[in-house]
Amino acid sequence: MMLVLAAAACAATTSVPAAPVSAHPFNIHDLVMLDRVGDPQLSPDGRHAAFGVRSTDYAANKGVNAVFLLDLGGGNAPVKLLDGGSAARWSVDGKSLFYMAPAGGVNQLWRVDLTPGKHGMVLAKPVQVSHSALDLGGFALSPDGKRVAMTYEVYPDCADLACTKERMDGEASDKSTGKLYKKLFVRHWDAWASGRRNQLFVASFDERGQLPAEPTLVSRDIDGDVPSKPFGGMEELAFAPDGQSIYFSARIAGSSEPWSTNFDVYRAPVDGSAEPQNLTAANAAWDAYPVPSPDGRTLYYLAMKEPGFEADRFAIMAMDLASGSTHEVDPQWDRSPGSLSIAADGKTLFATADDRGQHPLFAIDPSSGTVRQLVGDGTVGGYAVAGNTLLLARDDLKRPADLYVAKANGHGLRQVTHFNAARLKDTKVGDVEFFTFNGAGNEPVQGYVVKPVGYKRGKTYPVAFIIHGGPQGAMNNGWSYRWNPQTYAGQGFAVVTINFHGSTGYGQAFTNAISGDWGGKPLEDLKAGWNAALAKYSFLDGDRACALGASYGGYMVYWMAGVWNGPWKCFVDHDGVFDTRAMYYDTEELWFEEKENGGTPFDHPENYERFNPVNHVKDWRVPMLVVHSGKDFRIPIIQGLGAFTALQRRGIPSEFLTFPDENHFVLKPQNSVQWHETVNAWLKKWTAAPH
């Protein structure tokens, strides 16, 4: 069967128009229904873009994935190519797209062939090309298109995928439910350890373009996850240019996995004929994200220098593969880039990084280390380069992600999709302004304010003072589907947020400053930032303000409740740390606790007690809403329950909202709506203007 994807004559927009609505302030119902555009992929000739869009099925309480295709020739609208597919990747010749989608309830690899037609691209019937017993976790095509790397979660002692499937089926039918563990991790992020590991396989296409049911294991004897859990992806591996070997990063688990950040980069033959070779064993810190040069002589990758520190600066490293010698490409660039990519001629590396409240795309000269910003204001969430064409997904504090194209040097940037234009046409958002003040140590610190929707000069407005998590993170000029300032601005609140010491994008020394000082310099910055905002913006009503935070921001809310509660009418705490000593024994990633507190609590108990919120409960007085989810294993629910117990026992007005099916984030659409409506009601209750 052949289908014609006709080009539309109108400007690019979503293929399904939103229902008309009357003009209104932006709200949570608008947020959850927005289309989420991402994963941009360019065809080899740079003419077509394939990308993913996640829409929301609110009744089913889930997101729905689709693959779209856009002719970048100009004047055409994106066309939905595939329902239910994800991770679309172009074939080497640009005549096909490979993608993942279910078949019989199991995630498999598919291919759809595309040919130019008189009225647009002609789409052949999609063909399933993998037939494995297990869900495909991810894939990457080899440079010659003859092979594909594939990841599956398997039992390490199983000889094939069928063995893992058989064992899983047996466990599902077993009447006993006990599980015996002999080492950590017992649980990680939001899942209990199953005994299975993500592992890397390679398979070759046959003459019909089909893959064998049993691919070849290439991460042989790697006691770790490839890609890493819980958030690792295919950016952690790369084929060599000749397709005969593959590079990947992994942390050997052993018995030290919960307190180690020692990832290494390995090289393995694609036929599985030899064990993987560790190329970065000399560095006991984090090495990852391998990118070989097009000539195969150099391997670029990212490396940290301090073992046990997940927020250390990533340096761009270059390894001469013949000699094994390494050097840092960008020693003068005081930023920590994300995963790398490289131009076809090998003369430019590309990476994104936080940078003073923005998250731009940068070009790095591998020979000189010179760094150039290609696309600046806002957040670049994904990008692809083919020839002289740059495709990227970009968003900011006032608009969600859409696709843009430019020349490879960043010039001529123009927007090519407008996916949420119809939905946002009748919504109103608040204006944003960044400001700088002197914080701890008299160092410059940045924050921003968002004006409430309907702002009028001369009026004052209640304030939502949002404290970011991480703690090594930042509130950047980017769109969020969780802590989005516009959802508060739409409720009539002004928003203030501060990128305190510990935030990313201001140099590594600034990021490092929070370690061992959670309740020190960051609190000084928050106090100074609040005073600076009040002095600068007369529309902020300092007598009607509530402070909100999640994760580290939640820790800070608990800390402020005891040591800086004067300005606040209420608090909202989401998945925060209430007792820093107990947190060490409750959580899973121990390297984080040990780095942030200078060791273990049994060796250095004083470090854990120095800024421990539980020690100041006697001084709590401000009403607080506590939110904590049941599947949050990073900061387990016992922390939130402990705080709520303290509030109730002290007679402080308080409420406790929990989601048994959510993790550190609240992700399901209807749960997100409930979260926001509960938080908004709490804020309004305690900041209502006096009658």
Side-chain angles (χ1 to χ4, degrees), residues 302-323:
L302 300 182
M304 294 182 178
K305 295 181 174 65
E306 183 177 345
F309 186 24
E310 67 177 3
D312 194 13
R313 172 181 171 267
F314 264 130
I316 301 175
M317 304 298 294
M319 174 182 290
D320 182 288
L321 289 168
S323 66

Side-chain angles (χ1 to χ4, degrees), residues 238-298:
F239 277 99
D242 64 4
Q244 298 304 304
S245 58
I246 193 166
Y247 302 95
F248 63 89
S249 58
R251 172 180 55 201
I252 301 302
S255 59
S256 64
E257 188 175 20
W259 53 90
S260 169
T261 61
N262 186 18
F263 284 79
D264 283 304
V265 176
Y266 292 81
R267 176 173 56 193
V270 296
D271 61 3
S273 60
E275 293 183 0
Q277 175 191 7
N278 188 342
L279 301 179
T280 61
N283 182 27
W286 199 327
D287 304 287
Y289 309 113
V291 174
S293 62
D295 62 13
R297 297 177 181 176
T298 305

Side-chain angles (χ1 to χ4, degrees), residues 7 30 54 73 115 146 182 234 308 328 367 408 499 534 545 588 651:
D30 298 313
R54 202 210 84 162
T115 55
K146 296 179 180 179
K182 298 184 179 180
M234 302 307 285
E328 185 175 346
S367 60
N499 283 335
L534 290 176
E588 11 83 296

Side-chain angles (χ1 to χ4, degrees), residues 215 360 439 441 586:
D586 293 341

Side-chain angles (χ1 to χ4, degrees), residues 415-616:
Q415 187 173 346
V416 294
T417 68
H418 301 79
F419 259 78
N420 292 291
R423 286 192 177 94
L424 294 176
K425 179 172 64 70
D426 293 312
T427 65
K428 299 178 181 180
V429 297
D431 290 331
V432 180
E433 182 177 326
F434 281 79
F435 67 99
T436 302
F437 59 93
N438 289 333
N442 210 35
E443 291 187 299
V445 176
Q446 189 182 51
Y448 66 72
V449 298
V450 181
K451 291 181 178 179
V453 173
Y455 164 79
K456 294 181 180 178
R457 185 183 296 274
K459 288 191 63 176
T460 60
Y461 298 88
V463 184
F465 187 72
I466 300 177
I467 306 164
H468 74 68
Q472 293 90 356
M475 292 287 282
N476 285 332
N477 184 14
W479 191 260
S480 173
Y481 286 93
R482 289 181 288 112
W483 287 80
N484 190 315
Q486 297 294 354
T487 64
Y488 304 97
Q491 296 293 309
F493 289 89
V495 177
V496 177
T497 187
I498 305 298
N499 283 335
F500 46 79
H501 277 79
S503 300
T504 52
Y506 304 91
Q508 193 59 38
F510 192 89
T511 301
N512 291 347
I514 197 170
S515 296
D517 197 31
W518 274 29
K521 288 185 288 296
L523 181 62
E524 292 182 50
D525 292 342
L526 293 171
K527 289 180 176 180
W530 176 239
N531 289 330
L534 290 176
K536 184 176 178 66
Y537 302 104
S538 59
F539 58 85
L540 302 177
D541 189 340
D543 294 324
R544 292 193 294 145
C546 290
L548 310 82
S551 196
Y552 170 83
Y555 158 84
M556 180 54 74
V557 165
Y558 289 143
W559 182 240
M560 288 163 53
V563 303
W564 184 43
N565 54 37
W568 313 113
K569 294 300 182 185
C570 73
F571 289 125
V572 177
D573 193 293
H574 177 103
D575 290 13
V577 177
F578 169 61
D579 183 344
T580 54
R581 182 187 65 84
M583 171 66 178
Y584 179 87
Y585 298 104
D586 293 341
T587 192
E588 11 83 296
E589 292 184 352
L590 299 181
W591 68 75
F592 178 83
E593 291 297 313
E594 292 178 12
K595 167 60 183 176
E596 295 304 299
N597 293 285
T600 65
F602 42 85
D603 289 326
H604 301 283
E606 69 283 358
N607 295 350
Y608 287 78
E609 298 301 334
R610 183 183 178 197
F611 298 115
N612 194 350
V614 74
N615 295 332
H616 297 271

Side-chain angles (χ1 to χ4, degrees), residues 350-369:
F350 301 95
T352 61
D354 282 356
D355 185 51
R356 297 197 58 78
Q358 314 293 329
H359 191 79
L361 175 64
F362 297 92
I364 304 99
D365 183 340
S367 60
S368 67

Side-chain angles (χ1 to χ4, degrees), residues 327-342:
H327 70 275
E328 185 175 346
V329 170
D330 61 332
Q332 303 305 316
W333 189 35
D334 195 9
R335 294 294 182 265
S336 189
S339 57
L340 295 170
S341 64
I342 192 167

Side-chain angles (χ1 to χ4, degrees), residues 70-115:
L70 175 62
D71 185 341
L72 298 174
N76 298 318
V79 179
K80 185 185 290 188
L81 189 66
L82 302 159
D83 269 318
S86 64
R89 298 294 181 268
W90 290 96
S91 62
V92 175
D93 61 11
K95 295 180 179 179
S96 304
L97 278 169
F98 290 84
Y99 63 97
M100 296 191 300
V106 179
N107 208 33
Q108 302 285 3
L109 184 64
W110 295 71
R111 186 191 76 246
V112 60
D113 297 328
L114 302 165
T115 55

